[in-house]
Amino acid sequence: MENVRAYGAGLAGANFDKNTFFKKPTVLFRCAALVFGLILWYSVSKGGWHKPSDAIHPVCLYGRSSSTCSFATAVGFFAVCGAVGLIVLDAKMDQISSIPTRRRAVLADLVVSAIFTGIFLIGFFTFWSKLSAFEVDEDDENQIKTNNAKFGILSALLSFLAWGGAAFFAWRRYEEGNQATHEPNYDEQFGQVSSDVQDGYGYGGDSTGIGHVGGPTPPQSSYQSGAPPQTMQQPPANPYTQSEGYGY
């Protein structure tokens, strides 16, 4: 199994190819998640607040809930950090020779992507409903600008799609890598053939009757005497030899 690119990682010591790396679906989704996280962070922190004319402190456009605006900016910031961390981790995968370490890295990618997918799904509906419920005071003379707040809602939706795509490909890489590491070794599966099968028909019997492979065969002692000649079936080709990996 040395040639298997387990869990989507290349052979240990492989050179980093940036052209191939940035064409991976997971990397593309993470780059998109990074950009949308930056947009959400900037949109809410700069345009998610409104200062009424008769108030000292600004209020959050998402239902006048300051915790909602703080949550949006925090999620955008941590989404950027998570996307950058996973991109760096994926770039280092080709240098990891230990399959258990690769498995933990892919599993961490799957868990983080799934968590952000759920957070952005909840955040999208929360921001949308609270912005719709925002009411303007009649005596407020300051104009309300909701463009940035609406753009933050759109960024949350796009972030949900980006992290969902990254989680899907991380799950596929984990499942295929898990299957590859549990497949029986080619040599172990076809390299050990019992001596009885090598010498004759052999069905695991003793030196007499069915399974007799040596000496004169007693008349009518086995149903093999009248059987047509059989040929040894060739084992299938090893599917893992010279494998180039999954490309995730």
Side-chain angles (χ1 to χ4, degrees), residues 12-248:
N15 295 327
F16 177 75
D17 186 358
K18 63 179 182 179
N19 294 327
T20 303
F21 176 75
F22 284 104
K23 292 180 181 179
K24 289 182 177 181
T26 49
V27 177
L28 294 177
F29 277 112
R30 292 191 196 109
C31 291
L34 190 154
V35 174
F36 297 143
L38 284 173
I39 294 175
L40 175 63
W41 183 20
Y42 178 82
S43 299
V44 178
S45 62
K46 296 297 183 181
W49 301 85
H50 170 69
K51 188 179 183 301
S53 57
D54 58 348
I56 300 176
H57 301 288
V59 296
C60 179
L61 292 177
Y62 298 122
R64 296 180 180 270
S65 174
S66 59
S67 60
T68 303
C69 285
S70 300
F71 170 76
T73 54
V75 167
F77 172 77
F78 286 112
V80 172
C81 295
V84 172
L86 291 178
I87 291 174
V88 173
L89 177 62
D90 203 354
K92 297 293 185 180
M93 284 290 285
D94 288 345
Q95 302 176 11
I96 300 176
S97 60
S98 173
I99 291 181
T101 304
R102 295 178 183 177
R103 179 180 181 275
R104 288 190 292 268
V106 175
L107 184 60
D109 180 8
L110 174 59
V111 171
V112 172
S113 300
I115 290 175
F116 275 114
T117 301
I119 290 176
F120 278 111
L121 179 61
I122 297 173
F124 166 71
F125 287 107
T126 301
F127 304 152
W128 186 11
S129 63
K130 290 197 172 186
L131 180 62
S132 302
F134 183 81
E135 296 181 355
V136 183
D137 296 334
E138 295 180 357
D139 56 350
D140 188 1
E141 299 177 356
N142 293 336
Q143 183 181 3
I144 298 178
K145 298 179 181 179
T146 60
N147 292 334
N148 287 336
K150 293 178 180 179
F151 211 59
I153 296 175
L154 178 61
S155 300
L157 176 61
L158 297 177
S159 296
F160 160 72
L161 297 177
W163 282 105
F168 171 74
F169 282 105
W171 172 76
R172 286 193 59 181
R173 182 165 61 175
Y174 178 80
E175 287 294 321
E176 294 182 0
N178 200 31
Q179 180 181 3
T181 55
H182 285 83
E183 284 289 339
N185 186 275
Y186 184 82
D187 294 332
E188 293 178 356
Q189 186 175 4
F190 300 106
Q192 298 178 357
V193 182
S194 63
S195 59
D196 289 344
V197 176
Q198 292 176 352
D199 296 336
Y201 289 101
Y203 291 89
D206 52 14
S207 58
T208 61
I210 298 176
H212 176 70
V213 295
T217 303
Q220 312 241 344
S221 62
S222 173
Y223 62 85
Q224 303 171 12
S225 57
Q230 301 182 9
T231 58
M232 181 69 70
Q233 183 179 2
Q234 295 294 330
N238 187 352
Y240 299 113
T241 303
Q242 302 298 330
S243 173
E244 295 182 354
Y246 304 108
Y248 298 142

